[in-house]
Structure formats: C-alpha cells, structure tokens
Amino acid sequence: MTPVTVAQLTQHVGQRVTLQGWLYNMRSSKKVHFLELRDGSGTVQCIVGLEDVGPELFELAGTLTQESSLELVGEVKAHPKRAGVVEVAVSALTLLGGSKDYPISPKEHGTDFLMDHRHLWLRSSRQHAILRVRHAIIQAVRAFFDQRDFTLIDAPIFTPSACEGTSTLFETDYHDDKAYLTQSGQLYMEAAAAAFGKAYCFGPTFRAEKSKTRRHLAEFWMVEPEVAFMDLEGDMQLAEALLCHVVAHVLETRRPELERLERELAPLERVKAPFPRISYREAIELLQREGHPASFGDDFGGDEETVISKHFDRPVIVHRYPAAMKAFYMKRDPAAPELALCMDVLGPEGYGEIIGGGQREDALDTLLASIDHHQLPREAFEWYLDLRRYGSFPHAGFGLGIERTVSWICGLSHVRETIPFPRLLNRLSP
RNA sequence: UCCGGAAUAGCUCAGUCGGUAGAGCAGGCGACUGUUAAUCGCCGGGUCGUAGGUUCGAGUCCUACUUCCGGAGCCA
C-alpha cells in the first residue's frame, strides 16, 4: 500500500491507508491510545483500541515516546466530535526509530534553549507554520518577477570590496587574498539590468555589525530587482505591486498557518495599492508634530519608523532622503540636489523598513565624484564605472529583506524565528 | 561598544527577614472506554553560572568575571 500524507487524508475517508511520521503527542486510557501523528504535511489523531489491535500491539503503542518514528496502517474515519476533521483507526503499527528523552516537551521553554535545539524545534507547529509562510512568500516573490519577464541573475557571495562602504563586512581568506561576504548584490544587478533589461537576484547577504535587536541577523536573504530605463516613480510602483502580490498570495494559500500564529488578518487584507507616499521632509514634519525631536539630516531609528508607520493603515513609502546619509550610487534629485532619488518602504504595525532602494546615478563624472567623496577605492569600482562608460542608462531597483517581511506577515516580535537556522551575534550553531 | 535585566532539578519558574531547597511539566510506576498541552495517585531527580569576600551561618548581601535576554547605535 502506497503511503499517503496527513494532508491527503480527507480524500481517503472510508479507505485503509498507510501513514509514516513521528509521534507528536499521546493520550492514553485503559483500552485506547490516542496517538497524534505528525508527518510534515500536518497532524492527525490515530486511535489504537485494545479490542481492535490485540494486547501485544496495544502494549507496544503504550510505550511509544514523543518523536518516535512510526509506520501505521488504518482506516480513515470522520472524527465523531469534530466536523470536517478526520482520524485514523489503527490496525497495524511498526516502530521505525525510537526517541528517548526528546528535549522539547509540550510545555514552555526559553528562547536560548529552543535555539540550541533549533534542529528539533523546527518540528513544532509554530515553527512549521512560520517556515511554510516563508516558503509561500518566496514562491510569490519569484512568481511576481518571473511573470513580469525578469531574468534571475544571481550575484556572487564572495566579493572583493564593499558595495556601500558603510556596513561592517565579514572578511575571509580567498587564496591568500582578502574577500568579503556580500552585503548586497545590487552593483552586479546593475550590470545584469544592462544585459537583460529586467533582472533580479535572490540570495543570502551578510552583515557583520555587532547588532543585537529583534530585526537583525548576521545572515539574511534578500531579493533585489533592477530595471533598466525605470525611474524612482516606477521603482515605487514596482515595490508596491510586489508587496501586494506577496501578501495576497500568503492570505490565499497559508490561512491555516496564519491562524496557528494567531495573526490578525485585517491589517494584511488592507495591503492594497496605492500605498501612501511621503517625502523625507514630510516625514520629519510628521515626527515633529508628534513631539519627536527630529530635524532635517537625521536618520530614522526604530522608534521614528514606528511613529511614521503607525500613521498609516498600510505600508508607507518614504522617498527623497538627504543624499548625505545615503550610499554613493544614489542619484541626486535634479530638482533638489541635496536629496537622493531613493525610497524606503516601511511595514505597517511598527515593523519598520522592509524595502530600501532607488534610482542609481548614471552620469560617470557624478559617480566618480561621489566615490571620491565617500573615500572609496576607485580601482575596486572600475568594472562598475564601465556600466556608465558603455551605454549608460537610467535605472532603478530595490532590496527586499525576506526575514523582515516574514516577521511582519506572521506578526512576530523577532526575526530569529523567520529563518531555519539563524545566524545571530552570539549564535553560529546549530 | 553603551545602558538595563537575568542565571536555582532535563525544561519553565518560586524561594519572605541571611538559618543548608520547592512546584508544574518532562521521565519511571500505577489508575481510567473518546482523550485534545487529557486527568488522577505514587517515585526518582540539585556543586543554586564561575571565582573571591562579609558572616557563627549565604540561593539570598558585596566585588569581579562568564553567558543569555531586552534596548541603543548600525542596518534590510
């Protein structure tokens, strides 16, 4: 008999099936054991009745421990008390792998303990739900760009120099040369945009800042589209359309997981275009009206982003920050040269920056001056400057942080649960 | 790096005024025909983070260190 998955059981009511999985929990009385079986697709209650299986098998079932792996055969039946729920009346059962003293009990645990057992914690229903939402988000991101004729052009992970020159990088040895783990694929995407028109990359990025907050990881995944002949306005529209598509896809396909996470759905259902757009200057005024001491030239910290985003019922786009606080490749606003043609999308409900991007500087001379002004080594950027020497073109793009997006959509308080094996300031294992 | 908090059973925690340690869960044994973190009874389980100090006596007070948590800066 071919094994079926728990998720498929509703199509097999009245039939005998084989199931393979792990014991999630068990409740017992004198003549009946209730095994809760988990197989990765879901969980189902399996009934082992003394009179159905005989004393030998009944006794074996009684000795099973949490997370033992099993194969069982049984008939799929409607749950006698719960509408729409099925259970399995077991007729045969084989213990495949025992499990002695499984460390994660159904009671509470501390974060550090759970992170030490992250390889096992992934089995619990909450972590399962989060990572399924993560998968749905990634699926939606890829589908969004693929449907719009973007070409996936992944950027390298070893890089010879800093992209932005600001953040701390992880340094590593590369055949007796220094190399750094990438903090962004963007410069490479600009080359890709010149070759393919519309390109995106999706991969891990690394930041070595000694940062320890609920929104930081040393290793995180980023999606970075870059489009030739697109300006800042087009960039904002693209970011807005992407987020709408992603949220709609999760709402459509992962509602049980969101319910498991007790995620309030109304704020997600409001994520529809158009998103409000405010300039940096307007954001400063908004903060001042709220009694937050902020003046032109200040960057926004977590508190400021929260104040701004709480003013709106959906993601808000803040554009045209002072050029002085932004990376060297940002194009200046011709109408106000002290401003950069850049934008950040702030997630609602205080989730802060989930997208950052903008239009890139396409004039060779201006870019050279900017590299010098930022005191970056010109040699390292010669290839990048070639993109301005050979058919320069207006272009724009952005980066979307996957973990912050997962955290927002799942309604979590920390990004550490949004990635299977988080790399944090003090955690490199498991 | 800075500011704050914490460290006691396998896990989550309580521990009063300084008088040598307690619960729930997990584990073991038993009871119970339908349970949903099942319930009920019994049992085993401790170098109180480490090193000093004060004291007749320290889980408790003091000092240093270590680790973790929350936040800041920095960032997506």
Side-chain angles (χ1 to χ4, degrees), chain A residues 284-326:
Chain A
I284 291 287
E285 287 163 11
L286 190 156
L287 287 168
Q288 287 169 343
R289 277 202 306 278
E290 289 295 311
H292 256 256
S295 57
F296 188 86
D298 292 347
D299 208 349
F300 302 141
D303 284 354
E304 287 80 11
E305 287 182 356
T306 301
V307 170
I308 296 165
S309 74
K310 290 239 161 122
H311 253 78
F312 303 93
D313 69 347
R314 61 194 75 195
V316 54
I317 305 177
V318 183
H319 57 83
R320 292 181 171 82
Y321 286 69
M325 67 168 70
K326 288 291 175 177

mmCIF file of all heavy atoms in Angstrom, chain A residues 284-326:
data_model
loop_
_atom_site.group_PDB
_atom_site.id
_atom_site.type_symbol
_atom_site.label_atom_id
_atom_site.label_comp_id
_atom_site.label_asym_id
_atom_site.label_seq_id
_atom_site.Cartn_x
_atom_site.Cartn_y
_atom_site.Cartn_z
ATOM 1 N N ILE A 284 9.761 64.129 8.465
ATOM 2 C CA ILE A 284 10.340 64.901 9.577
ATOM 3 C C ILE A 284 9.268 65.784 10.213
ATOM 4 O O ILE A 284 9.138 65.863 11.440
ATOM 5 C CB ILE A 284 11.517 65.768 9.056
ATOM 6 C CG1 ILE A 284 12.696 64.874 8.653
ATOM 7 C CG2 ILE A 284 11.937 66.798 10.107
ATOM 8 C CD1 ILE A 284 13.449 64.264 9.799
ATOM 9 N N GLU A 285 8.452 66.430 9.356
ATOM 10 C CA GLU A 285 7.391 67.292 9.886
ATOM 11 C C GLU A 285 6.387 66.491 10.696
ATOM 12 O O GLU A 285 5.919 66.930 11.750
ATOM 13 C CB GLU A 285 6.677 68.021 8.722
ATOM 14 C CG GLU A 285 7.534 69.121 8.103
ATOM 15 C CD GLU A 285 7.046 69.573 6.730
ATOM 16 O OE1 GLU A 285 5.910 69.183 6.336
ATOM 17 O OE2 GLU A 285 7.805 70.283 6.053
ATOM 18 N N LEU A 286 6.096 65.288 10.178
ATOM 19 C CA LEU A 286 5.158 64.416 10.888
ATOM 20 C C LEU A 286 5.710 64.073 12.282
ATOM 21 O O LEU A 286 4.996 64.130 13.289
ATOM 22 C CB LEU A 286 4.953 63.145 10.058
ATOM 23 C CG LEU A 286 3.848 62.171 10.439
ATOM 24 C CD1 LEU A 286 3.451 61.348 9.216
ATOM 25 C CD2 LEU A 286 4.252 61.224 11.552
ATOM 26 N N LEU A 287 6.998 63.751 12.330
ATOM 27 C CA LEU A 287 7.626 63.408 13.611
ATOM 28 C C LEU A 287 7.590 64.598 14.569
ATOM 29 O O LEU A 287 7.320 64.438 15.758
ATOM 30 C CB LEU A 287 9.075 62.962 13.389
ATOM 31 C CG LEU A 287 9.251 61.575 12.761
ATOM 32 C CD1 LEU A 287 10.701 61.368 12.327
ATOM 33 C CD2 LEU A 287 8.834 60.489 13.730
ATOM 34 N N GLN A 288 7.852 65.790 14.017
ATOM 35 C CA GLN A 288 7.856 66.984 14.870
ATOM 36 C C GLN A 288 6.465 67.251 15.438
ATOM 37 O O GLN A 288 6.322 67.579 16.614
ATOM 38 C CB GLN A 288 8.356 68.194 14.071
ATOM 39 C CG GLN A 288 9.860 68.124 13.822
ATOM 40 C CD GLN A 288 10.339 69.150 12.812
ATOM 41 O OE1 GLN A 288 9.542 69.721 12.060
ATOM 42 N NE2 GLN A 288 11.656 69.365 12.774
ATOM 43 N N ARG A 289 5.437 67.058 14.582
ATOM 44 C CA ARG A 289 4.068 67.250 15.057
ATOM 45 C C ARG A 289 3.734 66.274 16.176
ATOM 46 O O ARG A 289 2.951 66.550 17.065
ATOM 47 C CB ARG A 289 3.071 67.037 13.898
ATOM 48 C CG ARG A 289 2.873 68.264 13.013
ATOM 49 C CD ARG A 289 1.549 68.192 12.261
ATOM 50 N NE ARG A 289 1.385 66.959 11.492
ATOM 51 C CZ ARG A 289 1.889 66.746 10.281
ATOM 52 N NH1 ARG A 289 2.586 67.683 9.682
ATOM 53 N NH2 ARG A 289 1.684 65.596 9.664
ATOM 54 N N GLU A 290 4.360 65.085 16.100
ATOM 55 C CA GLU A 290 4.119 64.052 17.120
ATOM 56 C C GLU A 290 4.961 64.281 18.369
ATOM 57 O O GLU A 290 4.975 63.456 19.272
ATOM 58 C CB GLU A 290 4.452 62.671 16.549
ATOM 59 C CG GLU A 290 3.465 62.174 15.514
ATOM 60 C CD GLU A 290 2.089 61.926 16.101
ATOM 61 O OE1 GLU A 290 2.012 61.251 17.142
ATOM 62 O OE2 GLU A 290 1.100 62.428 15.533
ATOM 63 N N GLY A 291 5.711 65.383 18.358
ATOM 64 C CA GLY A 291 6.538 65.681 19.526
ATOM 65 C C GLY A 291 7.825 64.895 19.570
ATOM 66 O O GLY A 291 8.439 64.762 20.620
ATOM 67 N N HIS A 292 8.243 64.343 18.411
ATOM 68 C CA HIS A 292 9.524 63.638 18.356
ATOM 69 C C HIS A 292 10.610 64.600 17.907
ATOM 70 O O HIS A 292 10.498 65.189 16.840
ATOM 71 C CB HIS A 292 9.442 62.468 17.356
ATOM 72 C CG HIS A 292 9.314 61.160 18.023
ATOM 73 N ND1 HIS A 292 10.346 60.266 18.136
ATOM 74 C CD2 HIS A 292 8.273 60.589 18.656
ATOM 75 C CE1 HIS A 292 9.943 59.199 18.789
ATOM 76 N NE2 HIS A 292 8.685 59.367 19.113
ATOM 77 N N PRO A 293 11.638 64.767 18.680
ATOM 78 C CA PRO A 293 12.696 65.683 18.259
ATOM 79 C C PRO A 293 13.407 65.136 17.035
ATOM 80 O O PRO A 293 14.164 64.179 17.124
ATOM 81 C CB PRO A 293 13.630 65.725 19.473
ATOM 82 C CG PRO A 293 13.361 64.449 20.206
ATOM 83 C CD PRO A 293 11.951 64.064 19.919
ATOM 84 N N ALA A 294 13.113 65.700 15.869
ATOM 85 C CA ALA A 294 13.763 65.258 14.634
ATOM 86 C C ALA A 294 13.986 66.484 13.768
ATOM 87 O O ALA A 294 13.132 67.366 13.713
ATOM 88 C CB ALA A 294 12.873 64.264 13.898
ATOM 89 N N SER A 295 15.131 66.546 13.140
ATOM 90 C CA SER A 295 15.368 67.664 12.239
ATOM 91 C C SER A 295 16.005 67.139 10.958
ATOM 92 O O SER A 295 16.524 66.024 10.918
ATOM 93 C CB SER A 295 16.278 68.702 12.904
ATOM 94 O OG SER A 295 17.488 68.094 13.304
ATOM 95 N N PHE A 296 15.944 67.973 9.902
ATOM 96 C CA PHE A 296 16.438 67.580 8.592
ATOM 97 C C PHE A 296 17.884 67.107 8.699
ATOM 98 O O PHE A 296 18.727 67.796 9.267
ATOM 99 C CB PHE A 296 16.337 68.764 7.622
ATOM 100 C CG PHE A 296 16.643 68.385 6.211
ATOM 101 C CD1 PHE A 296 15.653 67.888 5.378
ATOM 102 C CD2 PHE A 296 17.942 68.497 5.710
ATOM 103 C CE1 PHE A 296 15.939 67.525 4.075
ATOM 104 C CE2 PHE A 296 18.231 68.123 4.410
ATOM 105 C CZ PHE A 296 17.228 67.637 3.590
ATOM 106 N N GLY A 297 18.157 65.907 8.167
ATOM 107 C CA GLY A 297 19.504 65.364 8.237
ATOM 108 C C GLY A 297 19.597 64.193 9.210
ATOM 109 O O GLY A 297 20.537 63.418 9.160
ATOM 110 N N ASP A 298 18.600 64.048 10.088
ATOM 111 C CA ASP A 298 18.584 62.894 10.999
ATOM 112 C C ASP A 298 18.110 61.655 10.259
ATOM 113 O O ASP A 298 17.196 61.734 9.435
ATOM 114 C CB ASP A 298 17.617 63.142 12.167
ATOM 115 C CG ASP A 298 18.122 64.247 13.081
ATOM 116 O OD1 ASP A 298 19.298 64.627 12.959
ATOM 117 O OD2 ASP A 298 17.315 64.724 13.904
ATOM 118 N N ASP A 299 18.729 60.543 10.583
ATOM 119 C CA ASP A 299 18.220 59.282 10.037
ATOM 120 C C ASP A 299 17.155 58.765 10.995
ATOM 121 O O ASP A 299 17.078 59.184 12.147
ATOM 122 C CB ASP A 299 19.360 58.266 9.896
ATOM 123 C CG ASP A 299 19.073 57.272 8.774
ATOM 124 O OD1 ASP A 299 17.922 57.248 8.277
ATOM 125 O OD2 ASP A 299 19.988 56.530 8.392
ATOM 126 N N PHE A 300 16.319 57.866 10.490
ATOM 127 C CA PHE A 300 15.260 57.339 11.342
ATOM 128 C C PHE A 300 15.726 56.068 12.038
ATOM 129 O O PHE A 300 16.214 55.145 11.401
ATOM 130 C CB PHE A 300 14.006 57.016 10.524
ATOM 131 C CG PHE A 300 13.458 58.197 9.776
ATOM 132 C CD1 PHE A 300 12.951 58.049 8.498
ATOM 133 C CD2 PHE A 300 13.444 59.459 10.368
ATOM 134 C CE1 PHE A 300 12.448 59.143 7.808
ATOM 135 C CE2 PHE A 300 12.938 60.559 9.678
ATOM 136 C CZ PHE A 300 12.442 60.395 8.393
ATOM 137 N N GLY A 301 15.558 56.008 13.328
ATOM 138 C CA GLY A 301 15.790 54.770 14.068
ATOM 139 C C GLY A 301 14.494 54.003 14.149
ATOM 140 O O GLY A 301 13.477 54.393 13.563
ATOM 141 N N GLY A 302 14.524 52.898 14.888
ATOM 142 C CA GLY A 302 13.335 52.060 15.023
ATOM 143 C C GLY A 302 12.140 52.839 15.554
ATOM 144 O O GLY A 302 11.021 52.701 15.055
ATOM 145 N N ASP A 303 12.370 53.706 16.544
ATOM 146 C CA ASP A 303 11.276 54.476 17.139
ATOM 147 C C ASP A 303 10.620 55.379 16.109
ATOM 148 O O ASP A 303 9.398 55.448 16.010
ATOM 149 C CB ASP A 303 11.800 55.343 18.287
ATOM 150 C CG ASP A 303 12.076 54.509 19.530
ATOM 151 O OD1 ASP A 303 11.746 53.309 19.504
ATOM 152 O OD2 ASP A 303 12.621 55.067 20.497
ATOM 153 N N GLU A 304 11.443 56.092 15.340
ATOM 154 C CA GLU A 304 10.911 57.021 14.361
ATOM 155 C C GLU A 304 10.112 56.281 13.293
ATOM 156 O O GLU A 304 9.029 56.709 12.901
ATOM 157 C CB GLU A 304 12.047 57.819 13.696
ATOM 158 C CG GLU A 304 12.676 58.877 14.597
ATOM 159 C CD GLU A 304 13.679 58.315 15.588
ATOM 160 O OE1 GLU A 304 14.049 57.132 15.443
ATOM 161 O OE2 GLU A 304 14.078 59.040 16.518
ATOM 162 N N GLU A 305 10.656 55.148 12.829
ATOM 163 C CA GLU A 305 9.931 54.378 11.813
ATOM 164 C C GLU A 305 8.578 53.921 12.334
ATOM 165 O O GLU A 305 7.587 53.916 11.614
ATOM 166 C CB GLU A 305 10.766 53.154 11.393
ATOM 167 C CG GLU A 305 11.962 53.527 10.538
ATOM 168 C CD GLU A 305 12.770 52.315 10.088
ATOM 169 O OE1 GLU A 305 12.456 51.179 10.505
ATOM 170 O OE2 GLU A 305 13.710 52.506 9.312
ATOM 171 N N THR A 306 8.557 53.541 13.614
ATOM 172 C CA THR A 306 7.297 53.096 14.206
ATOM 173 C C THR A 306 6.280 54.223 14.240
ATOM 174 O O THR A 306 5.122 54.049 13.867
ATOM 175 C CB THR A 306 7.549 52.556 15.626
ATOM 176 O OG1 THR A 306 8.471 51.472 15.532
ATOM 177 C CG2 THR A 306 6.263 52.065 16.258
ATOM 178 N N VAL A 307 6.726 55.406 14.657
ATOM 179 C CA VAL A 307 5.815 56.549 14.727
ATOM 180 C C VAL A 307 5.240 56.845 13.349
ATOM 181 O O VAL A 307 4.034 57.066 13.190
ATOM 182 C CB VAL A 307 6.554 57.784 15.294
ATOM 183 C CG1 VAL A 307 5.688 59.037 15.149
ATOM 184 C CG2 VAL A 307 6.924 57.561 16.748
ATOM 185 N N ILE A 308 6.113 56.836 12.321
ATOM 186 C CA ILE A 308 5.653 57.133 10.961
ATOM 187 C C ILE A 308 4.681 56.064 10.482
ATOM 188 O O ILE A 308 3.578 56.352 10.009
ATOM 189 C CB ILE A 308 6.858 57.227 9.989
ATOM 190 C CG1 ILE A 308 7.756 58.408 10.375
ATOM 191 C CG2 ILE A 308 6.378 57.374 8.548
ATOM 192 C CD1 ILE A 308 9.121 58.382 9.723
ATOM 193 N N SER A 309 5.064 54.788 10.636
ATOM 194 C CA SER A 309 4.237 53.723 10.054
ATOM 195 C C SER A 309 2.899 53.599 10.778
ATOM 196 O O SER A 309 1.896 53.224 10.183
ATOM 197 C CB SER A 309 4.990 52.399 10.054
ATOM 198 O OG SER A 309 5.062 51.858 11.361
ATOM 199 N N LYS A 310 2.852 53.969 12.053
ATOM 200 C CA LYS A 310 1.585 53.865 12.795
ATOM 201 C C LYS A 310 0.567 54.893 12.318
ATOM 202 O O LYS A 310 -0.606 54.824 12.677
ATOM 203 C CB LYS A 310 1.847 54.035 14.298
ATOM 204 C CG LYS A 310 2.601 52.837 14.885
ATOM 205 C CD LYS A 310 1.840 52.153 16.010
ATOM 206 C CE LYS A 310 2.364 50.750 16.245
ATOM 207 N NZ LYS A 310 2.848 50.513 17.603
ATOM 208 N N HIS A 311 1.021 55.856 11.516
ATOM 209 C CA HIS A 311 0.115 56.867 10.992
ATOM 210 C C HIS A 311 -0.705 56.363 9.822
ATOM 211 O O HIS A 311 -1.614 57.033 9.362
ATOM 212 C CB HIS A 311 0.916 58.093 10.536
ATOM 213 C CG HIS A 311 0.760 59.238 11.463
ATOM 214 N ND1 HIS A 311 1.440 59.308 12.651
ATOM 215 C CD2 HIS A 311 -0.041 60.325 11.415
ATOM 216 C CE1 HIS A 311 1.079 60.416 13.272
ATOM 217 N NE2 HIS A 311 0.181 61.046 12.551
ATOM 218 N N PHE A 312 -0.323 55.200 9.293
ATOM 219 C CA PHE A 312 -0.964 54.726 8.069
ATOM 220 C C PHE A 312 -1.493 53.311 8.288
ATOM 221 O O PHE A 312 -0.986 52.583 9.138
ATOM 222 C CB PHE A 312 0.033 54.765 6.909
ATOM 223 C CG PHE A 312 0.614 56.137 6.678
ATOM 224 C CD1 PHE A 312 1.817 56.506 7.271
ATOM 225 C CD2 PHE A 312 -0.065 57.076 5.902
ATOM 226 C CE1 PHE A 312 2.340 57.774 7.081
ATOM 227 C CE2 PHE A 312 0.461 58.347 5.709
ATOM 228 C CZ PHE A 312 1.654 58.701 6.296
ATOM 229 N N ASP A 313 -2.488 52.930 7.511
ATOM 230 C CA ASP A 313 -3.095 51.615 7.708
ATOM 231 C C ASP A 313 -2.518 50.584 6.747
ATOM 232 O O ASP A 313 -3.005 49.470 6.662
ATOM 233 C CB ASP A 313 -4.619 51.705 7.566
ATOM 234 C CG ASP A 313 -5.045 51.991 6.133
ATOM 235 O OD1 ASP A 313 -4.174 52.366 5.309
ATOM 236 O OD2 ASP A 313 -6.243 51.855 5.840
ATOM 237 N N ARG A 314 -1.487 50.948 6.012
ATOM 238 C CA ARG A 314 -0.821 50.022 5.088
ATOM 239 C C ARG A 314 0.632 50.463 4.969
ATOM 240 O O ARG A 314 1.002 51.484 5.537
ATOM 241 C CB ARG A 314 -1.538 50.016 3.744
ATOM 242 C CG ARG A 314 -1.570 51.354 3.040
ATOM 243 C CD ARG A 314 -2.571 51.350 1.897
ATOM 244 N NE ARG A 314 -3.946 51.425 2.412
ATOM 245 C CZ ARG A 314 -5.025 51.161 1.679
ATOM 246 N NH1 ARG A 314 -4.910 50.788 0.435
ATOM 247 N NH2 ARG A 314 -6.222 51.275 2.203
ATOM 248 N N PRO A 315 1.451 49.708 4.238
ATOM 249 C CA PRO A 315 2.849 50.127 4.130
ATOM 250 C C PRO A 315 2.954 51.551 3.586
ATOM 251 O O PRO A 315 2.126 51.968 2.775
ATOM 252 C CB PRO A 315 3.445 49.113 3.137
ATOM 253 C CG PRO A 315 2.578 47.909 3.266
ATOM 254 C CD PRO A 315 1.189 48.425 3.540
ATOM 255 N N VAL A 316 3.952 52.269 4.055
ATOM 256 C CA VAL A 316 4.133 53.659 3.609
ATOM 257 C C VAL A 316 5.507 53.795 2.964
ATOM 258 O O VAL A 316 6.478 53.186 3.409
ATOM 259 C CB VAL A 316 3.958 54.647 4.785
ATOM 260 C CG1 VAL A 316 4.875 54.291 5.947
ATOM 261 C CG2 VAL A 316 4.222 56.089 4.347
ATOM 262 N N ILE A 317 5.546 54.554 1.854
ATOM 263 C CA ILE A 317 6.803 54.772 1.142
ATOM 264 C C ILE A 317 7.340 56.148 1.507
ATOM 265 O O ILE A 317 6.652 57.156 1.329
ATOM 266 C CB ILE A 317 6.592 54.681 -0.393
ATOM 267 C CG1 ILE A 317 5.949 53.338 -0.754
ATOM 268 C CG2 ILE A 317 7.936 54.865 -1.116
ATOM 269 C CD1 ILE A 317 5.642 53.186 -2.238
ATOM 270 N N VAL A 318 8.559 56.176 2.028
ATOM 271 C CA VAL A 318 9.217 57.442 2.339
ATOM 272 C C VAL A 318 10.305 57.654 1.299
ATOM 273 O O VAL A 318 11.159 56.778 1.119
ATOM 274 C CB VAL A 318 9.830 57.424 3.754
ATOM 275 C CG1 VAL A 318 10.444 58.782 4.079
ATOM 276 C CG2 VAL A 318 8.777 57.059 4.798
ATOM 277 N N HIS A 319 10.260 58.777 0.583
ATOM 278 C CA HIS A 319 11.206 58.975 -0.516
ATOM 279 C C HIS A 319 12.000 60.258 -0.351
ATOM 280 O O HIS A 319 11.667 61.119 0.463
ATOM 281 C CB HIS A 319 10.474 58.990 -1.869
ATOM 282 C CG HIS A 319 9.390 60.027 -1.963
ATOM 283 N ND1 HIS A 319 9.634 61.326 -2.282
ATOM 284 C CD2 HIS A 319 8.051 59.934 -1.734
ATOM 285 C CE1 HIS A 319 8.492 61.992 -2.286
ATOM 286 N NE2 HIS A 319 7.514 61.176 -1.932
ATOM 287 N N ARG A 320 13.091 60.359 -1.128
ATOM 288 C CA ARG A 320 13.936 61.555 -1.184
ATOM 289 C C ARG A 320 14.543 61.912 0.173
ATOM 290 O O ARG A 320 14.262 62.955 0.754
ATOM 291 C CB ARG A 320 13.162 62.734 -1.788
ATOM 292 C CG ARG A 320 12.858 62.500 -3.278
ATOM 293 C CD ARG A 320 12.108 63.665 -3.902
ATOM 294 N NE ARG A 320 12.016 63.517 -5.356
ATOM 295 C CZ ARG A 320 11.094 62.745 -5.961
ATOM 296 N NH1 ARG A 320 10.214 62.057 -5.266
ATOM 297 N NH2 ARG A 320 11.076 62.660 -7.277
ATOM 298 N N TYR A 321 15.404 61.010 0.664
ATOM 299 C CA TYR A 321 16.182 61.277 1.874
ATOM 300 C C TYR A 321 17.350 62.207 1.509
ATOM 301 O O TYR A 321 17.744 62.285 0.331
ATOM 302 C CB TYR A 321 16.758 59.973 2.437
ATOM 303 C CG TYR A 321 15.755 59.061 3.120
ATOM 304 C CD1 TYR A 321 14.766 58.404 2.396
ATOM 305 C CD2 TYR A 321 15.839 58.828 4.492
ATOM 306 C CE1 TYR A 321 13.863 57.553 3.016
ATOM 307 C CE2 TYR A 321 14.940 57.977 5.122
ATOM 308 C CZ TYR A 321 13.955 57.343 4.388
ATOM 309 O OH TYR A 321 13.068 56.512 5.007
ATOM 310 N N PRO A 322 17.955 62.855 2.485
ATOM 311 C CA PRO A 322 19.158 63.648 2.192
ATOM 312 C C PRO A 322 20.234 62.741 1.597
ATOM 313 O O PRO A 322 20.496 61.656 2.126
ATOM 314 C CB PRO A 322 19.586 64.169 3.567
ATOM 315 C CG PRO A 322 18.343 64.125 4.392
ATOM 316 C CD PRO A 322 17.545 62.958 3.892
ATOM 317 N N ALA A 323 20.844 63.193 0.525
ATOM 318 C CA ALA A 323 21.846 62.375 -0.165
ATOM 319 C C ALA A 323 23.015 62.053 0.766
ATOM 320 O O ALA A 323 23.643 61.004 0.654
ATOM 321 C CB ALA A 323 22.340 63.094 -1.415
ATOM 322 N N ALA A 324 23.297 62.953 1.702
ATOM 323 C CA ALA A 324 24.462 62.792 2.572
ATOM 324 C C ALA A 324 24.397 61.509 3.385
ATOM 325 O O ALA A 324 25.425 60.948 3.747
ATOM 326 C CB ALA A 324 24.579 63.999 3.494
ATOM 327 N N MET A 325 23.203 61.035 3.694
ATOM 328 C CA MET A 325 23.105 59.853 4.547
ATOM 329 C C MET A 325 22.928 58.572 3.721
ATOM 330 O O MET A 325 22.754 57.502 4.285
ATOM 331 C CB MET A 325 21.933 60.003 5.535
ATOM 332 C CG MET A 325 20.566 59.995 4.878
ATOM 333 S SD MET A 325 19.209 59.828 6.064
ATOM 334 C CE MET A 325 19.251 61.406 6.894
ATOM 335 N N LYS A 326 22.994 58.679 2.414
ATOM 336 C CA LYS A 326 22.743 57.505 1.577
ATOM 337 C C LYS A 326 24.004 57.054 0.829
ATOM 338 O O LYS A 326 25.005 57.771 0.772
ATOM 339 C CB LYS A 326 21.610 57.808 0.594
ATOM 340 C CG LYS A 326 20.243 57.893 1.273
ATOM 341 C CD LYS A 326 19.791 56.522 1.765
ATOM 342 C CE LYS A 326 18.487 56.596 2.556
ATOM 343 N NZ LYS A 326 18.005 55.278 2.985
#
